[in-house]
Structures are given as C-alpha cells and as structure tokens.
Amino acid sequence: MKTILVTGGAGFIGSNFVRHVKGAHPDYSIINLDKLTYAGNLENLKSLEGESGYTFIKGDICDRGLVDEIFKKYSIDTVVNFAAESHVDRSILGPEEFIRTNIMGTFVLLEAARRYWQTGSNDTATSKNLFVHVSTDEVYGSLGEEGLFTEETPYAPNSPYSASKASSDHLARAYFKTYGLPTITTNCSNNYGPYQFPEKLIPLMIINALNEKPLPVYGDGKNVRDWIYVEDHCSAIDSVVHSGKSGEVYNIGGGNEWQNTAIVRLICELVESKLGLPAGDRKRLIEFVKDRPGHDRRYAMDSSKIKKELGWAPRHTFRQGIEKTVDWYLDNRNWWERILSGEYMEYYKKQYEER
Ligand code: NAD
Ligand code: TYD
C-alpha cells in the first residue's frame, strides 16, 4: 500500500503510468497533480473517473503552497515526477516555460519532499519514501554513428528542453548527495503509443497520413532515435519504484534504433494496408523540410543496468508496438479530432468547474 503523487499524470506517459499502477497495484492511492497545459488532457484518464483511490488535482508543480498542502493532506510517500514541458520544437520557440516548469517545478517538489519526509529525530526519510524523477536520454547530447549512452555518459544537452531536464536531474542528484533525500533519476529514450499528443513524430505522421496531409521530415531524415513502447517505459518505472536504489540513475531504452525516414515510410505502409490503399499512396506525402536548429543526430541507450539489477526488459517488439499504435489512432479518431479542434480543453470545464 502506497500513496503516490504522480505529477503530469494527464499527459502522455503520465496517464499511461496512472493506468498501469491502477492495474498492477489496485490498493495504491494515486494523487494526480497536473496543470492541464495544452499537453494535459483528462480524456486520457476517463476510465478512472470516480474510481476510489484516484484523485485528480488541477495545479502547478511550481505552486509551493499547493504542493505543501498535498504532501500534508494526503501523506504522500512516493513521488513520480512526469510534469514537464516536453516538446523540443516548442522549447526552441519559447524556452521560458521549460525553465520554469522543468527546473523550478522540480525544485519545489524536492523541497516539499525534504520538508515532509525528513521530520524525524535523525532527519531521515522512511523506507517507503522515494522521489522518482522521470527524465530523458536527450540530456546526454548527440551520438555519432557508433556507441550507446550509459549512466556514466557526461551530460551535454543541446536544446532548451534537454538543458532544462538536465538541470532538474542535477537537482535530484544534489538532493540525494546533500540532504540524503531518496531520489532516483530515470533517463528514457523516445516513447510512442496511445495518447501521445499529435505534435510528436509518430502520432503526427499517423494522423497526417490518415488525413492525407503532408508528412514533414526534418533535414535529411537520417536522424536516429531509440523508440520504446510507452507501456514498457511504465513497467520500467514501476520496477524502479519498487526495487530501485536511492541515489542511482537508470537508463531505459527500447534497444530499437530507427532513422526518421524509415519510421515515416513504415507508418505510411501500415496506414495504406489498413485503409486498403494502393502501395505508395501515402508515401508520396513525405516532404523534406528545413532542419530543426541544434538537431541531435543520434540517440541510443544502453539499458543493461536496469535489466541486470532490476530484472526489467521491454515486452514489445517495435513491429508489435507500432501496429498497436497505428490501430489505436485509427480506433480513437474522436480523441485526436477533439485535440485538433481544441474541444478537448473544454472537457475539464464540463467535468469539474461547472459542477
Ligand atoms: P506530455 O507533454 O505529454 O505531458 C506533460 C504533462 O505535464 C501534461 O499533462 C501537462 O499538463 C503537465 N504539466 C506541464 N507543466 C506543468 C506544471 N507546471 N505543473 C503541473 N503539471 C504540468 O509529456 P510526456 O511525453 O508524457 O513526458 C512526461 C515526462 O517524461 C517528461 O518529464 C518528459 O521529459 C519525460 N520523457 C518523455 C519522453 C518522451 O518520449 N515523450 C522520453 C523520456 C522522458
Ligand atoms: P520528436 O517526436 O519531436 O522527439 P525528440 O525531438 O524529442 O526526439 O522528434 C523525433 C524525431 O523526428 C526528431 O529527430 C525530429 C524528427 N521530426 C521530424 O522529422 N518531423 C516532425 O514533424 C517532427 C515533430 C519530428
């Protein structure tokens, strides 16, 4: 039995994680603190509405008063911090919100955990207490043709997004080293799967292919990412929550490297076959466009530590994961059409504010 504060639980990975915990540990209490930015969508968690042991709180992780109140009221013993501004392109256009939420927000959460968990006579948190900070492989920078990121790879972030995540990772580390706060940082590769906001490569390409819209590939399209199915990331975090060692860092990856153009072509083929279209019908929509500034060439993760020490392994092959994902976007048109039209933002108002 645990009371977990999940921040950013209305976003893509957070909502999948909340559902994962509800399924795997039905006796746990989950408090979901989310500001509901453009990326937060309560429709992602419709199935949990009214369930006991699940509480949604609309709020900002930068709000000290609110965060303190939540720690006090709900006796939080574990934090899993997903809340963040997460999209690289947006961080290039406007970095400030990334600095505020990703750095200041993580700081506010760490401070609250320190105040509420370290009140005993010897100032130590209990064995139930754990602060899991969810981060990205992008903090390590860009790889050449060879090699993998390990937990020892020096940080070299290249975008405002990855720089803000790197900074928050350093804070989590410093709170362990300086105050003995039980923190763990996980650095994961690119996720894909159900409920991903359609600004990221895979959902954007699926939806544009379905809608017969251009498929914009940045630069020469040869940038490589290591893709992991979101449920495999959630099960990795579950392992870290239950068996991870405080003060440690765990890299999580799918062991699944793909060039962007190859992924976009594969998505086109899947959409063509599922819609019964002639081969090549959607591939013709691919357009090479101006490159992203500071575009990292290649990410690839060495996940041997979490596999060896916590016994975790991804359960989906890329073929299974991408088919499930394309099927999900085909079967849940209403979900993404309400995002494209902006209607999804009205949902919270109807559910909560007009009550
Ligand atoms: P997302 O953008 O889909 O969701 C972010 C959520 O955080 C949203 O629900 C948003 O409303 C909420 N949020 C934003 N600012 C907030 C604030 N100030 N206070 C409270 N809530 C706030 O992001 P995601 O893709 O689900 O990523 C979740 C976490 O995982 C992030 O920390 C990200 O850095 C990390 N991560 C993501 C990936 C990936 O491929 N998507 C890979 C590795 C790590
Ligand atoms: P993205 O999903 O934004 O994730 P990240 O930048 O965090 O890795 O992008 C994945 C890759 O796809 C990245 O190399 C940029 C590229 N990309 C495109 O080529 N076109 C697009 O429209 C988008 C959104 C991304």
Side-chain angles (χ1 to χ4, degrees):
M1 174 71 195
K2 278 182 188 293
T3 302
I4 305 189
L5 173 62
V6 176
T7 69
F12 163 48
I13 307 173
S15 63
N16 277 285
F17 182 72
V18 167
R19 243 190 319 280
H20 170 93
V21 172
K22 265 284 154 208
H25 314 285
D27 56 327
Y28 286 12
S29 272
I30 303 172
I31 315 297
N32 175 8
L33 170 63
D34 197 297
K35 187 179 172 186
L36 297 183
T37 66
Y38 79 92
N41 183 355
L42 283 183
E43 294 183 6
N44 298 358
L45 288 167
K46 250 184 181 166
S47 59
L48 293 189
E49 266 164 28
E51 273 218 19
S52 65
Y54 170 70
T55 307
F56 174 74
I57 299 169
K58 182 179 193 270
D60 191 330
I61 58 166
C62 300
D63 181 342
R64 282 173 202 221
L66 174 66
V67 170
D68 277 357
E69 210 181 294
I70 291 171
F71 269 80
K72 213 189 300 182
K73 181 167 174 194
Y74 296 99
S75 303
I76 302 299
D77 46 56
T78 303
V79 175
V80 183
N81 181 29
F82 292 98
E85 288 294 334
S86 69
H87 192 43
V88 174
D89 292 329
R90 285 182 191 256
S91 83
I92 295 167
L93 294 171
E96 192 160 343
E97 205 49 28
F98 287 72
I99 305 304
R100 205 187 74 86
T101 285
N102 299 3
I103 305 176
M104 279 305 291
T106 302
F107 163 70
V108 167
L109 292 167
L110 287 165
E111 274 292 279
R114 187 158 84 88
R115 269 198 300 282
Y116 285 95
W117 293 348
Q118 300 189 321
T119 50
S121 51
N122 57 359
D123 257 17
T124 49
T126 73
S127 59
K128 260 185 150 185
N129 295 147
L130 185 62
F131 189 114
V132 178
H133 176 60
V134 179
S135 191
T136 165
D137 58 357
E138 304 191 22
V139 298
Y140 298 123
S142 186
L143 288 166
E145 301 268 298
E146 300 287 315
L148 302 171
F149 295 133
T150 72
E151 287 82 358
E152 277 73 48
T153 303
Y155 273 31
N158 292 318
S159 71
Y161 163 66
S162 54
S164 66
K165 291 297 290 188
S167 177
S168 59
D169 296 7
H170 290 327
L171 285 171
R173 174 192 160 94
Y175 271 64
F176 174 76
K177 292 278 182 191
T178 306
Y179 305 114
L181 191 79
T183 67
I184 295 178
T185 297
T186 58
N187 295 92
C188 187
S189 63
N190 285 62
N191 286 222
Y192 68 100
Y195 300 102
Q196 187 165 30
F197 197 84
E199 63 187 353
K200 304 276 181 4
L201 180 76
I202 288 184
L204 180 79
M205 296 299 163
I206 296 172
I207 290 172
N208 283 9
L210 290 172
N211 281 345
E212 232 183 320
K213 294 256 171 67
L215 307 173
V217 174
Y218 300 161
D220 65 4
K222 293 194 173 137
N223 304 67
V224 172
R225 298 292 183 261
D226 170 356
W227 294 93
I228 183 169
Y229 191 63
V230 63
E231 175 54 29
D232 288 329
H233 184 193
C234 292
S235 71
I237 296 173
D238 189 331
S239 302
V240 168
V241 165
H242 292 94
S243 329
K245 193 163 158 252
S246 290
E248 293 291 317
V249 171
Y250 297 95
N251 279 358
I252 303 164
N256 175 50
E257 292 182 47
W258 280 75
Q259 281 192 350
N260 293 338
T261 39
I263 292 225
V264 177
R265 282 204 200 98
L266 174 61
I267 289 172
C268 289
E269 282 161 22
L270 288 170
V271 168
E272 286 160 5
S273 103
K274 287 183 193 285
L275 296 185
L277 298 166
D281 188 82
R282 290 305 195 253
K283 271 190 209 148
R284 73 190 153 79
L285 300 169
I286 296 175
E287 284 180 7
F288 290 89
V289 299
K290 192 168 172 290
D291 208 355
R292 170 190 280 173
H295 195 176
D296 288 333
R297 195 64 175 167
R298 177 171 164 260
Y299 303 144
M301 281 300 230
D302 177 346
S303 319
S304 51
K305 177 177 172 183
I306 188 169
K307 285 182 173 161
K308 197 161 135 241
E309 294 184 10
L310 307 187
W312 170 85
R315 292 205 348 262
H316 296 80
T317 63
F318 188 62
R319 188 74 203 187
Q320 289 166 334
I322 196 76
E323 282 229 30
K324 267 173 124 168
T325 305
V326 171
D327 285 341
W328 190 87
Y329 282 85
L330 267 168
D331 295 342
N332 290 276
R333 264 181 180 273
N334 192 41
W335 179 87
W336 53 264
E337 280 175 352
R338 286 171 59 76
I339 290 179
L340 298 188
S341 71
E343 283 167 280
Y344 75 110
M345 295 215 182
E346 297 299 312
Y347 182 74
Y348 170 76
K349 277 199 198 129
K350 284 218 171 60
Q351 292 298 306
Y352 293 88
E353 286 174 354
E354 289 169 7
R355 240 182 228 169

